[in-house]
């Protein structure tokens, strides 16, 4: 485009003003992409999950209900179910309680079949399967807790009245950091059975069942069959893909999401006004110049494009810097607080969205000054009476 | 541009122009007539506020008359739409302003190149034209200078290069020496004379400076909305109104 040079020079014309506009945009977009990146984690989980054909069976009441082991056995027996493993959220306290991480009781024999993307050395897996009090963690969590194979990992129950005295036997690798600890659910279950009264109520159950289906296209039918089978039982189920399951967490964040969206809209609008002010001032300063261009014969649409090009360019530079900075602090936050930012890289959708917003701000902030410039009367512009 | 066109460069017939400000009608041109032949060099004088710039703008197709005809290089400007008029200007008119009006962020080369961006010429062809233009005004060695790095006289020469680079039929200059010292003004006037004599450019120049007016081939005065012959003062408004007969000396 032959006008690019002129647009670039115009951008650099009032360096301070351009810089301030760019900074305002960059700071706001950094914040917005960071917040959206936080919200988008669940989406990323869902998207990742889609690759592995995993299905989740839970109680129809949701997280409050439990699924009996009998159901697990029956699900395992179904055609099209490759492997199924129980999950029970332990939610215990480790050490002084400052480090939060997920702890799940599961079946060591099937966990790595359902999560086939997790990689663990065979000897460590064998130890996990054979030792009742064994546990495994992913590499990131091991590093965070400074644990090595052979260390004891005592967990204090919070809603289970049974403390776990675990021993780390294996460290697995996962494609995305998941900061989880897995132990043998049998150990917890037997512990619960020893308890008296309400403490033992949870025994014989798990929270959810995760299973791997043979292929993606049989999943809808499987879900339907399972739910129909238990519809009239005392423990009805709700079966859905891991992706749909992850959406439930998104819905739980619903209000936060709306709140962030609400803030984002206001920030965007005020940013647009700030940028528009800058553009309007630039245009005013250049009234004569624009009139000269039009006198020479530049058509209105070219004048419009030159002015819009300038505002969009400024906004996109701000957007690029903001998104890059947002990505940076996102990665940093993942290091510092991995339970809050669980994935290491900001999802690309969030970055694309950030750039789109930046471009939109550029367009919106430039459109009024650009139209005014295009519509400027040449003689008025030359007389400087505008 | 229609180079084969042989009629007068400019024909202005019975031209009226009024401005409207705050419900006030300001009559500026009242039945002006003017004819500029090809290759002519016309100086337009008159008191401040007499409507010189207004007339020049109408001839250059920057503004529309209230009434009357403006025919430049055979084209009736009233028949052109706004966008067609913009296109027409880029092909037929070269503008020279009192304050040069170069784009400050573009170099001399890039300023001169501007009108060529509207043509189908490619980059190399444009560069050739620009170089020729700058050579004519004697500034080929200042190609990469920005306007702020040039003197007023040099800026005006760059502006002249920009005005001629498209090879227009008509050059319109509104007080081209108004902001220059005597020496620079002389240089600019020399250049305009040369463009007229050597390159056959038709020039209409508004000026307050009698020395500048002397350099033109013809002189007309604009007084109270009408043109009068440059060699005589308007004796009687009634007789002079709307006539241009006297100019054709
Ligand atoms: N766009 C406009 N709106 C209102 N009035 C205008 C406009 N343009 C010109 N005028 C009026 O028309 C009259 C002639 O203006 P013009 O600029 O043509 O004068 P001029 O002869 O060029 O004067 P000067 O020698 O000072 O440049 C003035 O009274 C001016 O105020
Ligand atoms: Mg004037």
């Amino acid at each position: 485009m032959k006008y690019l040079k002129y647009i670039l020079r115009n951008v650099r014309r009032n360096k301070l003003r351009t810089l301030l506009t760019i900074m305002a945009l960059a700071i706001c977009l950094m914040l917005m992409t960071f917040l959206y990146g936080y919200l988008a984690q669940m989406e990323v989980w869902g998207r990742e999950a889609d690759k592995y054909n995993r299905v989740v069976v839970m109680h129809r009441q949701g997280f409050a209900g439990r699924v009996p082991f009998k159901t697990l056995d029956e699900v395992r027996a179904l055609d099209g179910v490759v492997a199924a493993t129980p999950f029970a959220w332990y939610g215990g306290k480790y050490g002084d309680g400052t480090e939060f991480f997920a702890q799940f009781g599961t079946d060591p024999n099937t966990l790595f079949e359902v999560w086939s993307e997790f990689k663990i050395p065979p000897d460590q897996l064998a130890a996990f399967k054979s030792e009742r009090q064994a546990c495994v963690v992913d590499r990131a969590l091991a590093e965070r807790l400074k644990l090595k194979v052979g260390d004891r990992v005592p967990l204090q129950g919070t809603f289970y009245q049974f403390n776990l005295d675990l021993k780390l036997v294996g460290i697995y690798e996962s494609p995305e950091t998941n900061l989880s600890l897995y132990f043998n659910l049998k150990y917890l279950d037997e512990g619960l059975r020893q308890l008296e009264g309400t403490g033992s109520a949870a025994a014989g159950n798990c929270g959810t069942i995760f299973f791997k289906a043979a292929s993606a296209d049989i999943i809808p039918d499987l879900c339907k069959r399972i739910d129909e089978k238990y519809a009239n039982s005392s423990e009805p189920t709700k079966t859905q893909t891991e992706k749909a399951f992850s959406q439930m967490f998104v819905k739980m964040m619903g209000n936060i999401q709306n709140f962030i969206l609400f803030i984002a809209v206001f920030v965007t609008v005020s940013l647009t006004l700030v940028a528009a002010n800058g553009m309007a001032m630039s245009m005013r300063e250049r009234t004569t110049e624009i009139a000269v261009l039009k006198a020479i014969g530049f058509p209105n649409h070219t004048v419009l494009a030159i002015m819009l090009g300038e505002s969009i360019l400024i906004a996109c530079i701000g957007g690029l810097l903001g998104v890059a900075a947002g990505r940076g602090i996102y990665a940093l936050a993942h290091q510092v607080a991995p339970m809050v930012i669980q994935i290491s890289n900001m999802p690309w959708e969030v970055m694309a969205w950030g750039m789109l917003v930046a471009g939109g701000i550029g367009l919106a902030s430039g459109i009024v000054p650009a139209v005014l410039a295009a519509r400027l009367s040449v003689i008025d512009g030359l007389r400087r009476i505008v | 541009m229609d180079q084969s066109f042989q009629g007068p460069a400019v024909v202005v017939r019975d031209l009226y122009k009024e401005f409207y400000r705050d419900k006030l009608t300001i009559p500026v041109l009242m039945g002006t007539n003017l004819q500029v032949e090809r290759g002519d060099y016309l100086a337009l004088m008159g008191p401040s506020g007499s409507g010189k710039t207004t007339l020049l703008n109408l001839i250059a197709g920057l503004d529309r008359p209230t009434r009357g005809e403006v025919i430049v290089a055979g084209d009736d400007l009233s028949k052109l739409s706004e966008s067609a008029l913009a296109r027409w200007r880029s092909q037929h008119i070269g503008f020279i302003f009192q304050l040069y009006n170069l784009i400050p962020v573009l170099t001399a080369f890039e300023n001169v190149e501007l009108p060529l961006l509207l043509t189908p010429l490619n980059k190399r062809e444009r560069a050739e034209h620009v170089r020729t233009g700058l050579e004519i005004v004697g500034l080929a060695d200042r190609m990469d200078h920005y306007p702020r790095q040039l003197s007023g006289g040099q800026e005006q020469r760059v502006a002249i290069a920009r005005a001629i680079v498209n090879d227009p039929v008509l050059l319109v200059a509104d007080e081209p020496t108004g902001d220059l010292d005597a020496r620079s003004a002389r240089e600019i006037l020399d250049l305009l004379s040369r463009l007229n004599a050597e390159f056959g450019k038709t020039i209409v120049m508004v000026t307050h400076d009698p020395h500048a007016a002397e350099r033109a081939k013809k002189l007309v005065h604009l007084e109270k909305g009408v043109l009068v012959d440059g060699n005589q003062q308007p004796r009687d408004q009634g007789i002079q109104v709307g006539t241009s007969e006297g100019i054709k000396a």
Side-chain angles (χ1 to χ4, degrees):
Chain A
M1 164 147 171
K2 32 190 181 180
Y3 302 110
L4 193 63
K5 188 162 49 182
Y6 181 41
I7 293 172
L8 282 168
R9 301 265 179 86
N10 278 338
V11 165
R12 295 203 319 235
R13 191 180 282 220
N14 194 327
K15 291 200 182 64
L16 184 63
R17 186 187 300 154
T18 303
L19 201 74
L20 291 175
T21 309
I22 286 176
M23 295 247 295
L25 275 155
I27 291 170
C28 289
L29 274 154
M30 175 178 81
L31 186 74
M32 273 162 39
T33 47
F34 181 79
L35 290 175
Y36 262 80
Y38 167 72
L39 292 179
Q41 297 181 90
M42 295 301 171
E43 311 281 344
V44 173
W45 173 17
R47 192 176 62 217
E48 280 293 306
D50 240 14
K51 297 181 195 162
Y52 304 110
N53 298 337
R54 271 192 295 262
V55 180
V56 187
V57 184
M58 64 195 296
H59 195 280
R60 200 159 67 194
Q61 305 301 231
F63 293 103
R66 293 199 178 89
V67 183
F69 287 155
K70 185 171 143 289
T71 309
L72 173 63
D73 293 334
E74 287 163 355
V75 166
R76 274 183 176 145
L78 290 173
D79 267 356
V81 174
V82 178
T85 199
F87 258 48
W89 168 265
Y90 182 69
K93 195 170 121 187
Y94 172 72
D96 57 5
T98 48
E99 287 288 349
F100 295 97
F101 55 93
Q103 305 126 19
F104 296 103
T106 185
D107 176 3
N109 292 305
T110 47
L111 174 70
F112 288 91
E113 284 168 31
V114 178
W115 263 270
S116 50
E117 70 267 30
F118 289 178
K119 299 294 170 234
I120 186 167
D123 56 321
Q124 295 185 359
L125 180 58
F128 185 36
K129 286 178 180 173
S130 61
E131 294 177 37
R132 237 170 49 92
Q133 282 163 257
C135 72
V136 295
V137 298
D138 76 327
R139 169 135 347 260
L141 185 60
E143 280 166 9
R144 199 163 169 78
L145 301 181
K146 300 193 174 59
L147 287 175
K148 54 189 188 307
V149 171
D151 284 352
R152 302 214 73 81
V153 187
L155 293 178
Q156 197 189 328
T158 50
F159 54 86
Y160 289 113
Q161 296 160 28
F162 182 74
N163 296 341
L164 300 175
D165 184 18
L166 300 169
K167 181 182 151 202
L168 185 65
V169 299
I171 294 172
Y172 64 90
E173 309 278 349
S174 58
E176 268 294 350
T177 319
N178 74 349
L179 296 167
S180 299
L181 177 148
Y182 297 104
F183 62 91
N184 195 332
L185 181 57
K186 279 218 182 83
Y187 172 40
L188 173 64
D189 197 62
E190 279 161 21
L192 292 177
R193 281 176 207 281
Q194 317 277 310
L195 297 173
E196 282 155 19
T198 55
S200 63
N205 294 291
C206 56
T208 52
I209 300 165
F210 275 71
F211 71 82
K212 198 177 184 70
S215 71
D217 40 302
I218 60 165
I219 291 177
D221 186 51
L222 263 177
C223 291
K224 214 170 117 219
R225 264 165 51 208
I226 293 170
D227 287 347
E228 275 168 7
K229 179 169 175 193
Y230 297 104
N232 299 316
S233 78
S234 56
E235 308 293 345
T237 57
K238 177 180 166 71
T239 308
Q240 57 193 334
T241 61
E242 189 179 3
K243 183 175 185 173
F245 181 68
S246 72
Q247 303 288 322
M248 293 177 70
F249 291 87
V250 178
K251 285 204 195 86
M252 280 161 61
M253 293 202 293
N255 279 331
I256 300 179
Q257 206 166 15
N258 290 340
F259 183 62
I260 291 179
L261 184 70
F262 185 73
I263 292 173
V265 167
F266 276 83
V267 168
T268 308
V269 169
S270 67
L271 258 186
T272 306
L273 295 178
V274 169
N277 179 48
M279 275 312 290
M281 271 160 54
S282 298
M283 200 221 97
R284 259 185 108 77
E285 282 164 11
R286 277 181 240 156
T287 300
T288 317
E289 195 172 315
I290 293 160
V292 169
L293 286 180
K294 295 184 68 167
I296 288 175
F298 277 71
N300 292 353
H301 59 84
T302 306
V303 173
L304 186 89
I306 288 173
M307 295 299 288
L308 266 187
E310 180 176 342
S311 66
I312 291 174
L313 188 66
I314 288 176
C316 284
I317 294 171
L320 216 57
L321 290 176
V323 170
R327 192 175 195 272
I329 61 165
Y330 199 79
L332 195 71
H334 173 69
Q335 298 287 324
V336 179
M339 279 315 287
V340 182
I341 300 298
Q342 298 181 6
I343 54 181
S344 50
N345 283 323
M346 181 179 279
W348 68 266
E349 301 100 308
V350 176
M351 296 194 275
W353 171 86
M355 283 314 294
L356 215 67
V357 169
I361 289 175
L363 192 71
S365 66
I367 193 76
V368 172
V371 167
L372 287 178
R375 289 230 197 114
L376 175 77
S377 141
V378 182
I379 53 159
D380 286 352
L382 288 175
R383 292 174 68 90
R384 297 163 183 271
I385 60 167
V386 197
Chain B
M1 173 178 49
D2 187 2
Q3 292 288 7
S4 61
F5 174 76
Q6 286 309 317
V10 180
V11 179
V12 168
R13 254 187 234 125
D14 218 16
L15 197 66
Y16 285 79
K17 179 67 184 179
E18 292 164 353
F19 288 107
Y20 310 98
R21 282 287 136 108
D22 309 323
K23 291 179 189 160
L24 231 84
T25 304
I26 311 164
V28 178
L29 300 177
M30 294 171 287
T32 306
N33 287 288
L34 175 71
Q35 184 156 323
V36 183
E37 301 302 330
R38 279 188 159 253
D40 240 351
Y41 182 177
L42 182 84
L44 185 57
M45 293 189 80
S48 183
S50 57
K52 303 182 294 297
T53 299
T54 304
L55 178 58
L56 205 64
N57 286 344
L58 289 168
I59 292 172
L62 289 178
D63 203 359
R64 306 263 191 195
T66 308
R67 200 142 41 86
E69 258 186 330
V70 179
I71 297 163
V72 179
D75 296 317
D76 184 348
L77 301 193
S78 67
K79 299 236 156 58
L80 300 174
S81 68
E82 207 208 326
S83 58
L85 200 56
R87 212 180 133 71
W88 178 87
R89 284 198 302 272
S90 74
Q91 294 165 342
H92 293 81
I93 306 289
F95 289 93
I96 303 165
F97 305 96
Q98 177 176 356
L99 296 172
Y100 336 126
N101 285 345
L102 297 177
I103 309 291
V105 291
L106 298 180
T107 62
F109 180 95
E110 291 156 355
N111 265 286
V112 177
E113 192 187 19
L114 274 178
L116 298 174
L117 295 178
L118 301 169
T119 67
L121 296 180
N122 66 33
K123 204 176 153 109
R124 197 180 45 76
E125 293 165 328
R126 291 202 300 267
E128 255 167 51
H129 281 70
V130 172
R131 209 163 293 124
T132 311
L134 283 169
E135 269 162 18
I136 291 172
V137 302
L139 283 176
D141 55 334
R142 297 299 177 97
M143 219 136 70
D144 299 324
H145 287 221
Y146 286 91
R148 63 172 186 283
Q149 299 168 323
L150 300 170
S151 72
Q154 288 170 333
E155 278 196 69
Q156 191 61 301
R157 273 146 70 192
V158 173
I160 291 174
R162 180 177 68 186
I164 60 173
V165 75
N166 260 356
D167 195 20
V169 210
L170 181 66
L171 288 181
V172 296
D174 198 346
E175 299 183 37
T177 58
D179 218 48
L180 294 175
D181 60 81
R183 220 191 101 205
S184 302
R186 211 159 40 241
E187 282 171 14
I188 296 301
L189 292 168
D190 288 346
L191 186 54
L192 289 177
S193 294
R194 217 184 114 214
L195 289 174
N196 176 245
E198 247 177 70
F199 297 90
K201 291 285 159 219
T202 312
I203 302 176
V204 177
M205 173 177 72
V206 167
T207 185
H208 279 297
D209 177 8
H211 296 297
E214 254 168 41
R215 306 286 294 268
K217 288 181 182 164
K218 283 178 188 163
L219 172 64
V220 288
H221 279 278
L222 191 59
E223 303 244 351
K224 302 201 172 112
V226 294
L227 286 169
V228 293
D229 191 324
N231 304 317
Q232 46 192 298
Q233 289 303 307
R235 293 154 305 190
D236 185 314
Q237 278 292 327
I239 295 169
Q240 298 297 340
V241 166
T243 67
S244 61
E245 309 305 324
I247 311 168
K248 294 182 187 169

